[in-house]
Amino acid sequence: MVEYQLVVITESGRNVLARVAGMVIPLDIEIVGLHLNPVAESGPKWLQMSVRVPSESRLELLTKRLNRMVDVTKVVVLEPDSHHRQSTYVLARPDAADALHVSKVIQAYQAETLELTSHGVLLHLNASPESCATFVADLKPYNVVEVVAGTVTSFRSGLRPLGHPPRVVRVGL
């Protein structure tokens, strides 16, 4: 199954999340992640979905069904060249002899050290999903105890905001 990122712009309805999730189940589509961003306190909300679909036709069907929902303003399927970010937390308990190696991994990925105690180290990385996966793999030899990876959030390439037509700039000669 192929993974896609969708942005669903919705009005502030109470049951939008439940209805969107319910719409995915009969189509044999797997929800990998959901992330809800309110744009303003009482305005529209951005629902970012990571989904795995068995075929392009199922993705097209899902997009059409979402666009027909009352509270949905717009559905955008992000292109593969979009900007994808994931937040990953790693709890490791490296041996004292490995502290230098762990420090080099942290520096190489520009990760953040959230806690450093005699019991272990808690690290955070916000990067592309691929970088997060290799970060965790590079730390595996150093007693990784727990990994928590957040939902992949995405923003499409280009600077034109969603929901707005492109501005035309006319230059007089």
Side-chain angles (χ1 to χ4, degrees), residues 167-173:
R167 289 187 344 169
V168 177
V169 178
R170 295 198 172 117
V171 179
L173 295 177

Side-chain angles (χ1 to χ4, degrees), residues 19-29 58 61 65:
R19 289 191 322 213
V20 167
M23 192 172 289
V24 168
I25 293 169
L27 298 176
D28 192 31
I29 294 174
R58 292 282 173 88
L61 182 60
R65 286 185 177 182

Side-chain angles (χ1 to χ4, degrees), residues 1 5 26 28 30 60 66-67 71 77 84 93 96 98 102 105 107 120 137 151 161 167 169:
M1 291 214 270
Q5 304 293 321
D28 192 31
E30 178 185 357
E60 188 176 324
L66 288 171
N67 272 316
D71 294 326
V77 179
H84 305 289
R93 293 199 173 110
D98 294 329
V102 171
V105 173
Q107 288 175 352
T151 300
R167 289 187 344 169
V169 178

Side-chain angles (χ1 to χ4, degrees), residues 7-155:
V7 176
V8 181
I9 302 172
T10 71
E11 295 303 320
S12 55
R14 289 176 23 136
N15 299 325
V16 173
L17 276 176
R19 289 191 322 213
V20 167
M23 192 172 289
V24 168
I25 293 169
L27 298 176
D28 192 31
I29 294 174
E30 178 185 357
I31 297 176
V32 180
L34 283 172
H35 186 82
L36 184 65
N37 290 335
V39 176
E41 188 135 336
S42 63
K45 293 178 176 29
W46 287 48
L47 173 63
Q48 293 201 4
M49 296 175 58
S50 297
V51 294
R52 288 193 185 120
V53 296
S55 66
E56 291 271 335
S57 62
R58 292 282 173 88
L59 178 66
E60 188 176 324
L61 182 60
L62 174 64
T63 304
K64 285 180 182 177
R65 286 185 177 182
L66 288 171
N67 272 316
R68 280 188 248 149
M69 286 178 61
V70 173
D71 294 326
V72 171
T73 307
K74 186 173 190 170
V75 177
V76 177
V77 179
L78 298 176
E79 298 298 323
D81 66 342
S82 299
H83 304 283
H84 305 289
R85 290 292 176 265
Q86 184 174 31
S87 193
T88 302
Y89 297 87
V90 178
L91 175 61
R93 293 199 173 110
D95 298 330
D98 294 329
L100 180 62
H101 299 292
V102 171
S103 174
K104 287 182 180 181
V105 173
I106 293 167
Q107 288 175 352
Y109 287 91
Q110 298 179 347
E112 183 179 12
T113 303
L114 299 177
E115 282 187 40
L116 179 61
T117 67
S118 60
H119 301 293
V121 61
L122 179 60
L123 307 171
H124 174 251
L125 178 66
N126 191 27
S128 69
E130 296 81 16
S131 292
C132 289
T134 55
F135 175 67
V136 171
D138 288 351
L139 288 170
K140 282 286 185 197
Y142 307 112
N143 282 336
V144 170
V145 177
E146 187 175 357
V147 176
V148 177
T151 300
V152 175
T153 55
S154 303
F155 196 84

